[in-house]
Amino acid sequence: MVGAYLPESFEEEGFYQFSADSSKTPALRAGALDRYSVSFPPRWKELPVSNAKSGNYCQPRCDEATTEVGFSDPAQGTLQIIIIPTTKLLISKKFPSMGDVGTISNVINAISPAITGSVAAEEEEILDKEEFTEKGRVYYQYELLTPFAETGLHNIAKITTSQNYVIMASISASEAQWSANEKDLRRVLSSFHIDES
């Protein structure tokens, strides 16, 4: 459990902060991403990520979405940090901003299969979307209610760019998990950010 080995979060009281570094993920080892952080309640556990899902075999030249890390608490839900090469989204500009990638309405169409683990979200499944800036970086945030998602009925995601990738924290939960833990799940998502140099 993260409460046993991660440091306490400075931003989220009672949570523990995971700070990704080059020893943790193939994309960070390859220098393809900026460092990022996310905080969790103490009972969450880090999940193993297979080489095929992590892109361990192809970084830094993977041309598909890959999973950086995963964390879960069976009582609350699951978080994945997923990266998608901007070239996959037909963006040729080096180090694009979220504005270069697309509008908040267009980006969800391209990335929702990575959030749901299966099919693209339909317009009526998008409950909320928000654009905001933290520490000079633009983020898009989405809330989806996706009955056909592989990952869970409730999905929330926070998305930005890092070097030549779209990087997202995606949280999924069943109806029971969401009903009992919505506040904590939103706090986990809110804590995700790129560590600015």
Side-chain angles (χ1 to χ4, degrees), residues 30-185:
L33 280 181
D34 299 314
R35 290 178 51 147
Y36 55 87
S37 300
V38 62
S39 297
F40 302 96
R43 298 185 56 83
W44 283 58
K45 294 180 182 177
E46 188 168 359
L47 302 172
V49 179
S50 71
N51 281 341
K53 283 187 80 173
S54 73
N56 196 33
Y57 61 90
C58 63
Q59 285 297 350
R61 292 181 195 82
C62 295
D63 61 357
E64 294 295 327
T66 57
T67 301
E68 280 281 287
V69 293
F71 288 84
S72 181
D73 177 342
Q76 292 193 310
T78 301
L79 172 131
Q80 296 182 87
I81 303 293
I82 300 169
I83 59 173
I84 302 172
T86 52
T87 54
K88 172 103 175 138
L89 303 173
L90 305 177
I91 310 298
S92 59
K93 180 180 179 180
K94 292 283 187 194
F95 306 109
S97 67
M98 282 307 295
D100 296 325
V101 173
T103 66
I104 192 166
S105 296
N106 292 343
V107 168
I108 191 64
N109 295 330
I111 62 155
S112 63
I115 296 170
T116 66
S118 57
V119 297
E122 299 291 333
E123 187 65 36
E124 61 272 11
E125 296 172 332
I126 303 167
L127 301 181
D128 193 28
K129 53 190 172 192
E130 179 184 0
E131 178 178 339
F132 55 92
T133 302
E134 287 179 357
K135 298 180 182 175
R137 184 179 294 268
V138 173
Y139 290 84
Y140 294 168
Q141 189 164 303
Y142 302 95
E143 180 176 349
L144 309 177
L145 186 65
T146 50
F148 300 109
E150 184 179 295
T151 55
L153 177 64
H154 292 273
N155 290 277
I156 53 177
K158 184 176 177 182
I159 299 154
T160 192
T161 54
S162 177
Q163 297 190 32
N164 294 305
Y165 287 87
V166 169
I167 181 170
M168 73 177 90
S170 178
I171 296 176
S172 57
S174 67
E175 183 62 43
Q177 290 169 325
W178 184 258
S179 296
N181 301 287
E182 178 182 353
K183 183 178 177 185
D184 275 352
L185 294 173

